[in-house]
Amino acid sequence: MTDRNRRFRSRLTATEAARALHLDFEGFKNGPPVFAGVRVDGSWTATVFGDVAPNLVPAAEAKGLPVATLDAFLHETVERAVAEDRVVTGFSTREFLVFAERGVASKHLRSRFVNLLPLGRRWRRETHPEVDARVKASRARRKRAGRWVGGHGNTLLDFAWLLAAPRRASYGKGCTTSRLRHVMTQVERRGDFSRLTPTAKGKWTRVLQHNETDCLWSSLLAEAGASDDARMEADR
């Protein structure tokens, strides 16, 4: 059985949620991520992967962001989770699969990785049953009609609306890839980040803001869907 088909943790205690490393990768389809954002203890930072996306290094340096190799970042993330006894969350299993596909510490991460998607669905079912019913009915209609279902009704943005989570005006669902590509192309052509157009610089800012928002929403969803610590311990 592959990692893609194995079950992951989808429950966590309130204490685990508050202390978790909320991880979100950004990149292009069918390729390794180019940078990652992590929210922990109420603070967010992003790390650009210089080996995967050298064209983003000037952009990272212009924002004062750390630059590392992808594998080094993966190792450091797991080492921190183990050393500080924290869980790592991701919205879906994609975040975990990056570790597995790179062959980096996935065995050590598996017991600490929490998939927020089933946690979010369970929270919605228990706290907003009427919304949950509408989403399920809508997905069923699309399936019967032979239309693509995918994450319809179950995106992080959908859960953020239910949480009444703060949202930046610059948040553009489905825009991150094109924004990233624009910035990287500009750096390749112009070299120094200071020579980029105001449009390209703005796109880089919005990409980072998008990731920061996703990490914030993940933390809020984790906290909303967390179980009582005592009940979780009793169930183990």
Side-chain angles (χ1 to χ4, degrees):
M1 185 180 292
T2 66
D3 278 324
R4 190 177 297 275
N5 295 322
R6 290 175 183 168
R7 295 181 63 84
F8 292 83
R9 282 187 59 183
S10 61
R11 292 183 181 273
L12 72 174
T13 68
T15 299
E16 287 174 329
R19 300 187 66 252
L21 299 170
H22 301 287
L23 174 64
D24 183 46
F25 289 117
E26 303 288 0
F28 303 100
K29 187 177 181 180
N30 300 324
V34 298
F35 81 88
V38 176
R39 181 178 174 85
V40 57
D41 296 336
S43 297
W44 170 89
T45 189
T47 301
V48 167
F49 308 134
D51 57 328
V52 177
N55 287 347
L56 272 186
V57 172
E61 293 173 342
K63 294 287 188 179
L65 301 177
V67 176
T69 65
L70 172 55
D71 288 356
F73 172 85
L74 300 179
H75 277 293
E76 290 169 5
T77 298
V78 175
E79 288 171 1
R80 181 178 184 184
V82 172
E84 299 177 5
D85 194 21
R86 299 178 188 263
V87 298
V88 177
T89 76
F91 188 75
S92 84
T93 61
R94 175 55 187 161
E95 274 63 37
F96 178 87
L97 290 174
V98 172
F99 292 81
E101 289 164 359
R102 302 287 292 194
V104 177
S106 58
K107 291 182 179 179
H108 298 289
L109 178 62
R110 173 170 288 282
S111 64
R112 295 180 178 275
F113 182 79
V114 179
N115 183 357
L116 294 179
L117 179 52
L119 177 147
R121 291 199 301 260
R122 183 172 58 250
W123 167 77
R124 183 181 61 200
R125 183 172 63 250
E126 293 172 354
T127 61
H128 300 277
E130 71 293 343
V131 177
D132 189 65
R134 286 200 300 270
V135 170
K136 289 177 179 176
S138 179
R139 290 175 61 85
R141 285 194 300 271
R142 294 174 72 94
K143 186 174 182 179
R144 287 195 299 270
R147 298 171 62 191
W148 179 79
V149 179
H152 177 74
N154 288 328
T155 68
L156 184 55
L157 178 59
D158 291 316
F159 290 107
W161 282 117
L162 278 182
L163 290 163
R167 177 182 174 185
R168 295 178 183 269
S170 63
Y171 189 90
K173 186 176 182 296
C175 298
T176 302
T177 299
S178 62
R179 288 171 174 173
L180 266 176
R181 184 174 289 109
H182 184 92
V183 173
M184 294 172 70
T185 300
Q186 283 270 310
V187 171
E188 184 178 13
R189 291 175 179 173
R190 297 173 180 247
D192 191 83
F193 186 81
S194 64
R195 299 178 60 194
L196 267 61
T197 64
T199 297
K201 292 177 180 178
K203 286 180 183 292
W204 178 229
T205 296
R206 289 190 288 276
V207 166
L208 295 175
Q209 290 174 342
H210 183 105
N211 183 274
E212 183 178 9
T213 299
D214 279 351
C215 290
L216 170 62
W217 289 350
S218 290
S219 70
L220 295 176
L221 181 59
E223 291 169 7
S227 302
D228 176 74
D229 292 37
R231 181 161 60 88
M232 276 286 287
E233 288 299 323
D235 290 342
R236 290 177 178 174

